[in-house]
Each structure stands twice: as C-alpha cells, then as structure tokens.
Amino acid sequence: MDSSSENQNNNTNDNTNDIEQRIERSAAALDRSWVTRAKDTIGQWAYIMLRDADDHDIDWDWVRGLDLEHGIGVAEPADLEPGAASNAHDLLKEDLAIRDRLEAIIAKMSMTFMRDFDRRIKTYELPRALAYADRRLTDQIDLLRDRGVAEGLWTITDEERERVTVPVLHAVENGPFTDDDLADIQDHTAEIVNTRAEKRKADREKREAARHEKQMALFEADEKHYGSIEAGPDESAPADSSSDANSADDLVEGQQIINDDNPAVPGTEQVNADETAVPEARFERSRHSAAQHVAAHTAAAPKDYWREAYLPGRDVDKVMGIDLETNGTEPYRAYIIDVGFEYMNMKSPRPAEAAGSTYAYDKDYYESGDAYDQHRFSFGVTPEAAKHGNAFIIQLTGIDISQRTGSEFPLLDEDPAAQADLLKRLTAQPFVAHMATFEHSFFMLNVAGYAEAYRNGHVTIIDTLPMSRLWDEGSVPCEGHPDGDNTLDAYAKRQGALREDDAERHLGLEDTHIMLLAMKHHLTALKAEARGPWGPGGKAGIGGKRIINYRRHNWRR
C-alpha cells in the first residue's frame, strides 16, 4: 500500500470514528425540551423589542403560544402526502402567514441582542428556538407545494426577484385555480426582503441628510460667533468690532475692517501688509460658500466599506479557516449539511507535532502544506427536507440531501455536543471565512452560546472577501462583478492557491484550504510590498471584527 492510500485510509478511519462518537453523543444527549424552555426568556425580549423588522407591533403572547418543539404549522403529516383529503391551498396559505410573521421577529432579534447594552436579555436561546421551528415549518411548506404539483393544482418555477430567488406558483391549464386564485399563496419573501433593503437605504440617506444639515448648522453658528454680517451688530463679533455701527476703526479704501479680536476675517496687521482688506460682505459670502462646499464634499465622499472591519492585522498568526455548505441561504430556513475547518499559521511555523502530517482532500492535487488539524463534519436534514430534496445543491456540491437522514447524519441544531465543540474552536483564535457574514449568521442561529460569546467579545472574525476587494489589484471590475470578481474561486486563482483550469469544490474543507492558502500567499506578498496591514492604513494587532466592550464607570453622586 502506498503512502497516499494509507493516509487516505487513516483519514477515513478518523472521520468514521468521529461520526460514531457523534452518533453516540447525539443519541444520548438529544433533548428538544430546550426549545420549549427558551420561551421562558420572552419577558426579557418583550421589555426591549416592541416591534418587528417590518415595524409591526409584536404579539408576544402569540409567540408564547407556539409549539416550537413539536411544530408550528397547521398541517398534519398526512396532509403533506399527495391525495390527502385536506385543502392544500388553505394549509399553505396559513403556513406562509405564520412564517412571514415569525421571520419578521427573528430578523430583528440579532440587532436587538447586540444593542442591549444593559444586558437585560441574558441569552440568545429564543431566536435559536424560533429558527429551529421555522426550519421545520419551511419543510412543511415545501412539501405542501410539492403536493400541489403532484395533484396538478399548480406548477412551480424558481425566479430571481432582485436580491432573492423565490418559488413562483403558476396555474395549470384547465386546472382548479387561476393565477389570481394563487396570489394569496405566493411566496412574499422577495417582496419583504427587498422592501426592508429599500427602507434601510432610505434610512441611510435620511441620516446622511441630517448629518449634512447638522454640519451646515455648525458652520452657520460659527459664522455668528465670529461675526457674520448676516447676524447683525448685536449678535455678531465683540463690542469693539467694526461690525458695530459706531466702530472707530480706520477705513481703508472706504471699507470697514474687522479688528484683531475677531479671527474670522483679516486683522489690522494683515491689512497693513496688504494695504487693503477684503470687504466684509464679500469675505462672508466667500466664507459661507466655502463652508457649503466643504459640507457638500464631506456628505458626498464615499463611505467606508463596511467589510473593512473584518480585515486582518499585521500581527495575525494562528487562525482557523472554516466553510459551511447548506441547503439554502437563509439561516432560519436552511440546514448546515457540511462543515470543514483547518488551522494555519500566517507568520510562525506550524506546530512541531503537526509537521509531516498529510491529509487527503477531495481534490487529489491539494497538498496540506502549512495546514494542520483538518476536520470535516457531515450533518443531516429532517425527513421532510430529505423528501423535498434539492437538485441545485446536488449540482453545486455533489451532496444529495435526500440521503442525509438517520443516525449517521445528526442535525447540527439538535446536536449539542457538536455545537459545543464548534464553539470552543470558534472562540480559541480568530476564524476566517470568505464572505464571513454568511457563516456568522448561521452560527448565530445554530450554535448554542455563539451569540453570547460574540456579544461579549470572545469571537474574532476575519474575512478574505475584503482582502480580495481592497488589496488585490487583479480584482478588475466587469459587468458581472462591478466591484471586481471577488469570489473565492477568483481570489484563490489570483493568489496561486487554485489551478487556473480548476474550480472551487464547494465542499467545506476543500474551500477552507484554498482560502487559507490564498490568504497566506496574499499576506506574504503584502508584507514584502509594505501594503495592506503594513501600509499606512493597516491595523496593528490581529485585526478582524469583534465586539469591544467598554467598562462602565460608576460616578459618585
């Protein structure tokens, strides 16, 4: 047996042992009662969070009445089967209404939790429980739609609606429903998401306008304080200023001269040097115009790229790269089905105990290099989600979720041991991901304790996406990518971590590996060129996004 086969067998055995241990832990520890207990914290949330993400009043008694543990939909299991006696249209309508109402609450909870500076809300358990129930409700909605297709009630196409792709129902020819009949069971996700995005945009513009107005007000107040002619003699400069009608100041070429007590305009020394002075009215008009120009320029200046907060610092070393594969994009609807993570040191050599170790990746030409402690975990979905399937995920990742059920594939949101292990790793050092807000959003609603650890400053996130966008000149804007092609595939190829004739694998561990390789190559080049973290705007320390808690000072009264 050659060494590569031996290594691959060792990897297989290690993964098999991990799976067996996780099955044993999961079977012993599976306890869904936490979902019900999470409702005990509703009072903490209700004290602070009165309205949802769509600015509707929240009926917390309605939330309290939901059976999060056993299902919040109106359909019974038999109703999901084609040919059931129940009305699929009416069941689907009620389920969609429940989901829209619930998700508007979930969408507001992250911001509320992070801005709870007085720590009235103790845990993030309730949002995780609501997301747990929402995933199962989404499974039910999918199967009710499938039932309608099987019964010839409608057909379904996936359509892009700005930021979101949604399933759209169409009436079948000579069927029982018209398109108008199906209007009340269409998926409104795109409409909701796009409306919220437009509202956020309008709020940003409103804040910018208010900031500009405040800046102009400060300029005008400054003019009054220092002697604008618009203020008049009694509100203007000091009493001995020539802006008073009875000023005794000399006249130069028939123009009043503001004296040295008023720093807003030329003083007598400047006048003597120039032998003339700028007329006050003309000067004030010029000064006001300049103030308007500065304020307008400031307001129009490009805002900081918000992902810059996720950039690495010049002292970053040990990191854990991680990548998730899921069966959807929304963390409160989708399941995590594949997790890959490994470690790499950006500056120092890898640990001595890891030297010489190799790992057989799915891509046979991948080499471990400086990576160590690689792990791959496979998770499952509910039987309902498996029955619905997902052809797109099969095409993208090769993972068939219809086969991801049973004890061999525990669900991450039902596996407390796996969550605890993941949390321990995520808080031990910075973790790195490409478009890390995706991983972060799934951790928030799937990993017990993650949100609390993040709020308390114990999680540091580094994102290779802004590294590609801001520090990689090869990222050239084009029609499909206005800010440049900053996909992991393109970034890894530009940094020599992926062959030009290949593509990213869309599996957690493989994508993590090329991401860390690209990051290390990139940082090495940036340091040699005194750019990036080593440039004028670079960060000291490890960098990355984390919550900084400022200690409150209790003042004596």
Side-chain angles (χ1 to χ4, degrees), residues 18 23 48 56 88 102 115 117 232 257 267 280 318 458 540 552:
D18 284 340
I23 291 172
I48 296 176
H56 298 143
L102 182 64
R115 294 183 179 179
F117 303 115
I257 306 301
E280 181 182 0
K318 180 182 178 181
H458 303 315
R552 286 191 177 85

Side-chain angles (χ1 to χ4, degrees), residues 154-167:
W154 50 68
T155 61
I156 301 176
T157 59
D158 290 331
E159 299 181 11
E160 289 188 14
R161 303 287 177 84
E162 295 183 49
R163 301 167 180 83
V164 183
T165 300
V166 294

